[in-house]
Amino acid sequence: MVINCLNIFRRGLHTSSARLQVIQSATPTKRICIVGAGPAGFYAAQLILKQLDNCVVDVVEKLPVPFGLVRFGVAPDHPEVKNVINTFTKTAEHPRLRYFGNISLGTDVSLRELRDRYHAVLLTYGADQDRQLELENEQLDNVISARKFVAWYNGLPGAENLAPDLSGRDVTIVGQGNVAVDVARMLLSPLDALKTTDTTEYALEALSRSQVERVHLVGRRGPLQAAFTIKELREMLKLPNVDTRWRTEDFSGIDMQLDKLQRPRKRLTELMLKSLKEQGRSSGSKQFLPIFLRAPKAIAPGEMEFSVTELQQEAAVPTSSTERLPSHLILRSIGYKSTCVDTGINFDTRRGRVHNIDGRILKDDATGEVDPGLYVAGWLGTGPTGVIVTTMNGAFAVAKTMCDDINTNALDTSSVKPGYDVDGKRVVTWDGWQRINDFESAAGKANGKPREKIVNIEEMLRVAGV
């Protein structure tokens, strides 16, 4: 076994070395660096490699492992969504793409260094922070972000120590997007259904001891403004041993507005109304409780207070009425925001994203002057909106903009650029990632799972051979 592992390791090093030699011998005239190996980064790389013949694309990623939110954000029981990894892998194995994992912008390399070494730099490192409720007691141990909870059960390095308290009956999720519904489904799903997914073993063990019976999903606005999609709602309605309980008063007059709705919203609303009409016909030991027209007001031990809201031109306006919900655990799911990891980035701290116009990063906000050769795609540029398809379309658009700028000579690519210097750095190549992937797949297979993720970075580096 040891000899086989050594042979695989040596073959990987040989393959990686040969690949670098092929790239270097081609003496490309255009070098492009993409910072971030999530969906936006890979989709952009795919189009750039297709449209620019004489170029090399280097992908720099903070973690040793690629795929970003596809690996760490997509729910474990949605393996079909993760199939996009197959497309990303084909892109990564392109002879003119190099992957540099375990390299963090702003720590291991500066934006200035990258700009000196590449003709163009595309930032796609995503949104890794969550928005706050800005309420007193929000720092209590029983108040955590849905983002961190998702990272916990998905095995993001550093999240394994979250230890959410699942000993209480009631969980309140503030927010009604797909992430909020994913979290609710994970809390209410039968454990046997999760054991065959890539949910981390420590999360499965914690969920096996969970005493959670009711999950409140609370939103400021009404059913017509719910941010979750029909697919996620259908999955919740089909969960065994779980009753979905709507509040009849939340749907007053909603059926009269159906004909005015666009098709996706109409279908979602019809499903909610159908479920409302049928509720009570079955019984389960657990409950999913969507609640509309409530705005967070206060947090106290064991409960949360909400202001009753009313819609005024689709805006939720608090009234003088309030409601308290039992809340042993509170999960905040009201949106993500990005951070500025390098002083060279023109960052909008208020909106939590990079100043840009159509993916071109601005040098001067007042005049709208762009910074030639510097681009942004994904949530870092747009804010946390849409699903993977939205990210794909946005990344393709920015990548086309980059190619157009190069092909029209709006961006000068005549000088020779050296690309990233890996000397002395613990860099995980694509072959190193493949060793991690093989290790995780084998560990998962032993437990009847697609993979068992390594959650410790040092362990990842050891397996990768760096």
Side-chain angles (χ1 to χ4, degrees):
M1 178 68 178
V2 174
I3 293 174
N4 287 338
C5 289
L6 286 172
N7 287 335
I8 292 171
F9 176 67
R10 288 164 182 158
R11 286 198 301 271
L13 291 181
H14 175 73
T15 303
S16 179
S17 175
R19 193 175 181 193
L20 290 175
Q21 288 174 5
V22 169
I23 292 174
Q24 290 167 354
S25 64
T27 59
T29 59
K30 307 174 189 70
R31 286 193 180 272
I32 296 168
C33 181
I34 297 176
V35 180
F42 271 110
Y43 281 126
Q46 178 184 333
L47 189 137
I48 291 169
L49 290 167
K50 182 178 180 181
Q51 292 204 354
L52 293 179
D53 292 333
N54 196 9
C55 76
V56 163
V57 175
D58 289 348
V59 177
V60 175
E61 165 59 42
K62 175 176 67 175
L63 293 171
V65 296
F67 308 135
L69 278 181
V70 177
R71 177 179 167 98
F72 296 116
V74 173
D77 59 347
H78 283 176
E80 73 285 353
V81 179
K82 298 186 182 186
N83 286 339
V84 72
I85 285 176
N86 297 328
T87 301
F88 296 161
T89 297
K90 289 179 181 178
T91 299
E93 291 174 346
H94 192 288
R96 289 187 283 113
L97 185 142
R98 304 187 299 177
Y99 173 76
F100 298 121
N102 198 45
I103 299 298
S104 182
L105 177 63
T107 304
D108 300 308
V109 64
S110 70
L111 181 59
R112 183 69 267 165
E113 288 177 86
L114 292 180
R115 299 197 68 182
D116 288 343
R117 290 180 168 273
Y118 293 90
H119 295 107
V121 176
L122 171 62
L123 304 179
T124 69
Y125 63 78
D128 62 350
Q129 300 295 319
D130 57 282
R131 299 190 181 280
Q132 303 287 311
L133 295 169
E134 298 182 355
L135 295 175
E136 188 176 352
N137 293 330
E138 192 170 354
Q139 304 309 315
L140 289 174
D141 290 342
N142 70 320
V143 183
I144 60 178
S145 74
R147 178 187 63 83
K148 289 183 179 179
F149 190 77
V150 170
W152 172 73
Y153 62 65
N154 268 330
L156 179 70
E160 66 271 19
N161 298 319
L162 182 66
D165 184 359
L166 305 178
S167 64
R169 179 190 183 196
D170 288 272
V171 173
T172 294
I173 303 174
V174 182
Q176 292 185 327
N178 281 341
V179 172
V181 177
D182 281 347
V183 168
R185 192 176 65 256
M186 290 294 292
L187 286 166
L188 295 172
S189 288
L191 191 66
D192 285 345
L194 298 179
K195 285 181 177 179
T196 57
T197 71
D198 64 359
T199 305
T200 56
E201 279 299 311
Y202 61 76
L204 289 173
E205 196 277 329
L207 289 169
S208 73
R209 295 181 282 104
S210 171
Q211 300 298 309
V212 175
E213 296 180 0
R214 304 196 305 180
V215 175
H216 310 266
L217 193 81
V218 187
R220 293 172 178 268
R221 299 192 292 171
L224 295 182
Q225 294 78 35
F228 52 76
T229 55
I230 193 168
K231 177 180 181 293
E232 277 66 28
L233 178 58
R234 279 203 187 105
E235 289 178 325
M236 285 300 308
L237 297 178
K238 292 178 180 178
L239 277 186
N241 199 36
V242 176
D243 281 345
T244 298
R245 296 295 180 95
W246 309 90
R247 294 182 173 184
T248 304
E249 61 270 24
D250 287 347
F251 291 85
S252 177
I254 294 294
D255 57 341
M256 305 296 292
Q257 302 183 54
L258 284 175
D259 291 341
K260 302 176 185 177
L261 303 177
Q262 293 186 351
R263 189 168 182 271
R265 176 62 64 179
K266 182 179 180 180
R267 290 175 61 230
L268 174 61
T269 307
E270 286 174 339
L271 181 59
M272 286 189 278
L273 289 170
K274 181 176 182 288
S275 176
L276 170 65
K277 185 177 180 180
E278 295 175 350
Q279 71 182 15
R281 296 183 183 179
S282 61
S283 60
S285 63
K286 297 181 180 181
Q287 292 183 338
F288 174 57
L289 305 166
I291 301 171
F292 298 98
L293 300 170
R294 299 292 185 272
K297 183 178 182 181
I299 295 170
E303 68 176 17
M304 188 167 181
E305 184 179 11
F306 293 85
S307 295
V308 177
T309 65
E310 60 183 24
L311 288 179
Q312 296 181 9
Q313 297 180 338
E314 292 208 358
V317 178
T319 67
S320 58
S321 300
T322 62
E323 178 182 2
R324 294 176 183 268
L325 293 176
S327 309
H328 298 104
L329 177 65
I330 297 169
L331 293 166
R332 178 181 59 239
S333 187
I334 57 173
Y336 296 171
K337 62 181 179 179
S338 301
T339 53
C340 184
V341 300
D342 189 288
T343 56
I345 300 173
N346 185 3
F347 196 78
D348 184 340
T349 54
R350 184 176 67 85
R351 295 184 177 182
R353 65 188 191 192
V354 173
H355 286 288
N356 74 99
I357 295 179
D358 297 330
R360 295 184 179 96
I361 294 181
L362 296 178
K363 180 183 291 185
D364 189 305
D365 306 338
T367 64
E369 180 186 0
V370 300
D371 198 343
L374 192 57
Y375 304 84
V376 63
W379 287 2
L380 181 61
T382 64
T385 59
V387 293
I388 288 179
V389 173
T390 315
T391 299
M392 177 187 73
N393 292 330
F396 282 165
V398 175
K400 186 179 185 304
T401 295
M402 295 175 68
C403 294
D404 290 345
D405 286 352
I406 290 173
N407 289 329
T408 61
N409 294 321
L411 181 61
D412 183 12
T413 59
S414 60
S415 59
V416 176
K417 297 288 186 175
Y420 188 63
D421 181 8
V422 302
D423 287 349
K425 298 183 176 67
R426 299 181 73 187
V427 172
V428 177
T429 65
W430 190 254
D431 297 302
W433 151 245
Q434 293 288 15
R435 288 190 282 277
I436 294 173
N437 182 51
D438 291 344
F439 185 94
E440 291 183 339
S441 298
K445 186 177 181 181
N447 292 323
K449 302 167 64 175
R451 72 172 61 242
E452 186 62 50
K453 293 173 184 170
I454 302 172
V455 299
N456 180 274
I457 287 181
E458 281 301 318
E459 177 69 1
M460 288 179 180
L461 297 177
R462 184 191 68 78
V463 173
V466 299

